[in-house]
């Protein structure tokens, strides 16, 4: 490796084991604290072409060390130099973090600007994501995936193409391979099928490449090339080996071998035809709309179930009250009621449109962004509740949800309710007619949203690279399974549980 001059960037120097660590000074180019993404710059902005790399890896795979090794290679650092470059670990050592600390983790892009003396005359944007597959579980993994997705589709960042989708794999890992497969599948699904050609595997801590190749075969990932990086020598000059001439000779050889591996990777990268992120962004939009459709269909299914359970509870209550009256006994009972509450909106959705008259959420999620004029310039009646869109609806940062609760009913209260019911309805058939109307409305919404979900899934499956995507039927049945797992523990009455199970079974696509 030949360089005309030694390159240097602004840094803060510290000593470590006999060498100087030059901690590079970075500047904030973009920070989004809400979505936990940032871009930091190293050097002065210029017009050189930028090559973009996305690093994805499990906790303990050595992404941070790999990132630093890449920087030292690009800066032209030699083994005999008495310094090494380093960047502050913006993500942190996941193994030392507590669960509560995970909320502070960012997907961080390091934009390294070319300066004379560097090995290649390109700028490089290296995007580092928090570690995956640790004890924090699937929920955190989903959060990190959404952060990376948001990073890549954020228009203000002007990242239009990707040169390397790099999965960092610890060659000594003994993790259950299904977990590794889950991570790769999760992140593969962020991208279009055209990213197969830029997918690279960066193996670390690996002496036996056959074991890594077997893991890759088992998880069925499509990739272009496999690279092996033994980064343990990056911050070493052979210290502690002076009493062993053989080890002292090995250290510079290991360094030279490692730098040749990075030379191979970056030379391949520099001639790679980049992949546009347009397909990935189209998939991201479809996924966001799919997520919204899933929320809506779950709400309508739960509303349908809640309505029937509440009616059945009240019907039973009236029968018990009539029996008590007939036997001249004091009535005491309980009922299941559906209660509406306002819940905070989570995720990437900004607001909902709630009807003040009906006390229900009619539009959620709304995709028009933060400018109210864009989503409230329509007039006329709401398709959901038939109230005025302009006069009766409010744009809010919360949505209205339904919950089933059990409450006690006294004899005095029941007597008043029974008498009121007899005045309002000539017979129980009128009550059933009103109930059927509500159930039918929910059923129509479920049918409409089922078609929307099917359309979104078909588009996503056409775009993403996952070779075994879910079918609309599998997806919808998974939604029903999730509803059952969520609602069943909340029901104390065995009859209600049986009804819930039967209703979901009837909805299930065979």
């Amino acid at each position: 490796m030949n360089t005309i001059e030694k390159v240097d960037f602004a840094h803060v120097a510290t000593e470590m084991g006999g060498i100087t660590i030059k901690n590079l000074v970075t500047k904030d180019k973009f920070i989004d604290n809400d979505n936990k993404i940032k871009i930091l710059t190293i050097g002065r902005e210029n017009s050189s072409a930028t090559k973009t790399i996305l690093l994805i890896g499990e906790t303990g795979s050595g992404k941070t060390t790999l990132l630093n090794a890449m920087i030292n290679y690009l800066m032209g650092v030699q083994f005999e130099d008495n310094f090494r470059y380093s960047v502050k670990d913006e993500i942190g050592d996941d193994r030392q973090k507590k669960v509560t600390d995970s909320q502070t983790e960012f997907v961080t892009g390091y934009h390294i600007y070319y300066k004379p003396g560097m090995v290649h005359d390109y700028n490089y944007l290296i995007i580092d994501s928090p570690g995956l597959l640790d004890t924090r579980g699937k929920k955190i993994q989903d959060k990190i995936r959404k952060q990376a997705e948001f990073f890549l589709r954020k228009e203000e960042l002007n990242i239009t193409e990707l040169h390397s989708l790099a999965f960092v794999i610890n060659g000594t890992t003994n993790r259950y391979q299904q977990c590794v497969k889950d991570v790769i599948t999760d992140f593969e699904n962020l991208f279009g099928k055209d990213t197969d050609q830029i997918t690279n595997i960066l193996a670390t801590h690996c002496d036996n490449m056959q074991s890594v190749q077997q893991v890759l075969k088992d998880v069925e990932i499509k990739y272009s090339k496999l690279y092996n990086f033994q980064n343990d020598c990056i911050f070493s000059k052979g210290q502690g080996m002076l009493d062993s001439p053989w080890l002292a000779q090995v250290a510079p050889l290991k360094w030279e071998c490692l730098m040749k591996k990075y030379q191979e990777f970056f030379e391949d990268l520099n001639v790679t035809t980049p992949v546009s992120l347009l397909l990935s962004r189209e998939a991201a939009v479809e996924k966001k709309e799919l997520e919204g459709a899933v929320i809506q269909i779950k709400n309508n299914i739960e509303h349908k179930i809640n309505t029937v359970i509440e009616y059945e509870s009240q019907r039973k209550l009236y029968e018990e009250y009539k029996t008590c009256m007939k036997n001249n006994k004091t009535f005491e009972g309980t009922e299941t009621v559906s209660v509406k509450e306002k819940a905070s909106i989570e995720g990437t959705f900004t607001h909902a449109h709630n009807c003040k008259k009906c006390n229900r959420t009619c539009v959620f999620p709304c995709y028009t962004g933060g400018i109210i004029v864009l989503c409230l310039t329509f007039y006329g009646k709401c398709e959901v509740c038939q109230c005025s869109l302009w006069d009766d609806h409010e744009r809010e940062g919360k949505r209205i949800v339904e919950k089933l609760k059990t409450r006690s009913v006294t004899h005095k209260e029941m007597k008043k309710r029974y008498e009121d019911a007899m005045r309002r309805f000539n017979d129980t058939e009128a009550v059933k007619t009103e109930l059927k109307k509500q159930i039918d409305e929910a059923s129509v919404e479920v049918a409409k949203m089922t078609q929307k979900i099917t359309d979104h899934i078909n588009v996503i499956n056409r775009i993403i690279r996952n070779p075994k995507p879910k079918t609309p039927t599998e997806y919808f049945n998974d939604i029903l399974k999730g509803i059952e797992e969520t609602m069943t523990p909340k029901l104390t009455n065995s009859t209600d549980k049986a009804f819930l199970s039967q209703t979901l079974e009837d909805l299930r696509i065979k």
Side-chain angles (χ1 to χ4, degrees), residues 163-177:
H163 295 78
S164 178
L165 171 57
F167 288 98
V168 185
I169 294 180
N170 185 340
T172 63
T173 185
N174 58 0
R175 292 183 186 274
Y176 179 48
Q177 290 184 0

Side-chain angles (χ1 to χ4, degrees), residues 424-442:
R424 283 187 292 116
F425 301 106
N426 294 326
D427 52 44
T428 56
E429 288 304 313
V431 180
K432 290 181 180 179
T433 301
E434 179 64 22
L435 170 72
K436 186 176 185 304
K437 180 183 175 184
Q438 292 185 44
I439 294 174
D440 288 345
E441 288 174 356

Side-chain angles (χ1 to χ4, degrees), residues 292-452:
V294 168
I295 291 171
Q296 289 187 11
I297 199 169
K298 286 174 69 176
N299 287 346
N300 280 289
I301 292 173
E302 290 175 2
H303 173 66
K304 176 178 179 177
I305 292 168
N306 290 346
T307 300
V308 177
I309 288 177
E310 183 177 22
Y311 168 75
E312 287 297 322
S313 173
Q314 291 182 10
R315 185 193 60 77
K316 183 180 177 183
L317 206 64
Y318 282 113
E319 292 297 327
E320 290 174 353
Y321 177 72
K322 286 165 65 176
T323 301
C324 286
M325 288 177 61
K326 184 177 180 180
N327 297 326
N328 201 25
K329 292 182 178 179
T330 301
F331 172 82
E332 287 185 6
T334 59
E335 67 174 341
T336 301
V337 294
S338 179
V339 179
K340 293 185 178 181
E341 299 176 352
K342 287 192 176 180
S344 297
I345 293 173
E346 297 180 353
T348 58
F349 305 119
T350 57
H351 63 273
H353 297 278
N354 301 321
C355 180
K356 296 177 286 185
K357 277 189 175 181
C358 305
N359 191 28
R360 65 180 293 177
T361 295
C362 294
V363 181
F364 178 77
C366 185
Y367 301 106
T368 54
I371 305 175
I372 188 169
V373 175
L374 295 177
C375 52
L376 282 182
T377 52
F378 44 82
Y379 291 88
K381 289 185 177 181
C382 173
E383 292 182 1
V384 178
C385 69
Q386 301 304 308
C387 296
S388 168
L389 282 168
W390 186 261
D391 296 327
D392 300 324
H393 289 73
E394 289 184 329
R395 178 183 182 274
E396 296 185 273
K398 293 186 176 182
R399 62 190 181 101
I400 298 169
V401 297
E402 292 184 25
K403 293 183 179 180
L404 288 174
K405 292 188 177 182
T406 302
R407 62 181 296 274
S408 299
V409 183
T410 64
H411 180 89
K412 182 179 179 181
E413 180 184 353
M414 195 61 211
K415 179 182 178 182
K416 184 178 184 305
R417 286 170 56 178
Y418 185 81
E419 291 172 350
D420 288 344
M422 291 303 99
R423 280 194 298 269
R424 283 187 292 116
F425 301 106
N426 294 326
D427 52 44
T428 56
E429 288 304 313
V431 180
K432 290 181 180 179
T433 301
E434 179 64 22
L435 170 72
K436 186 176 185 304
K437 180 183 175 184
Q438 292 185 44
I439 294 174
D440 288 345
E441 288 174 356
S443 298
V444 169
E445 288 301 313
V446 168
K448 287 180 359 187
M449 295 315 301
T450 300
Q451 186 58 51
K452 276 191 177 182

